[in-house]
Amino acid sequence: METTAAKNYLENTNLKFKFKVGAAIGTAAYLLILVSIEEIAGIVLPSFWGNIYLIGGIALMVITGSIFKALKFVKGAFKWGYLLTPFVLFDVVIAVIAGGFVLGVQLVFPFIPMALDALNLYKERQNAKQYL
């Protein structure tokens, strides 16, 4: 990579990187605030606030493109579950359960795939900075 290409890459991915990191931190902070208010303060919030977290987190996953990282993990879990045993029907059941569990965890905690996606972008940006 040339220095001008590295400089252009860093400039082009600057806003994208900040948005992905901000989305991951914002989603995790919102969950922390919800849990703190409900469990520590003892105030029961309406389910509306939890719905905002779930719908907003899924929307941010789609907007940031982290849904592809999440689906990649689901595909890996499904493949692992399918190759686990020699029985075909049992394999399909385990594969669907494994893939569904991974998808469910990533939909309940959407900041995990967003943070992993931001981490990959950070590593690519660090490689580009080495050329400067």
Side-chain angles (χ1 to χ4, degrees):
M1 183 180 286
E2 299 177 16
T3 57
T4 56
K7 190 179 292 185
N8 288 338
Y9 178 76
L10 288 173
E11 289 174 3
N12 292 340
T13 59
N14 188 26
L15 186 61
K16 182 178 178 181
F17 175 69
K18 287 179 182 178
F19 183 72
K20 286 186 179 194
V21 169
I25 290 173
T27 308
Y30 187 77
L31 177 65
L32 179 67
I33 290 169
L34 281 179
V35 170
S36 298
I37 289 173
E38 288 188 356
E39 296 300 324
I40 295 173
I43 301 170
V44 178
L45 296 173
S47 64
F48 171 74
W49 297 105
N51 293 344
I52 288 176
Y53 166 75
L54 287 176
I55 294 169
I58 293 169
L60 283 174
M61 279 179 58
V62 171
I63 291 170
T64 60
S66 301
I67 192 75
F68 299 116
K69 173 78 70 185
L71 292 176
K72 182 178 169 186
F73 288 135
V74 170
K75 178 184 165 193
F78 183 83
K79 189 183 294 183
W80 171 83
Y82 187 71
L83 297 174
L84 188 62
T85 64
F87 306 114
V88 176
L89 183 61
F90 194 61
D91 280 347
V92 172
V93 171
I94 289 177
V96 168
I97 290 172
F101 179 76
V102 170
L103 182 64
V105 167
Q106 291 181 354
L107 291 179
V108 172
F109 301 112
F111 53 86
I112 295 172
M114 284 189 277
L116 291 174
D117 201 21
L119 179 65
N120 286 342
L121 186 58
Y122 174 77
K123 288 178 183 177
E124 291 174 7
R125 288 176 52 85
Q126 289 303 315
N127 288 339
K129 284 183 181 178
Q130 290 178 351
Y131 287 100
L132 297 180

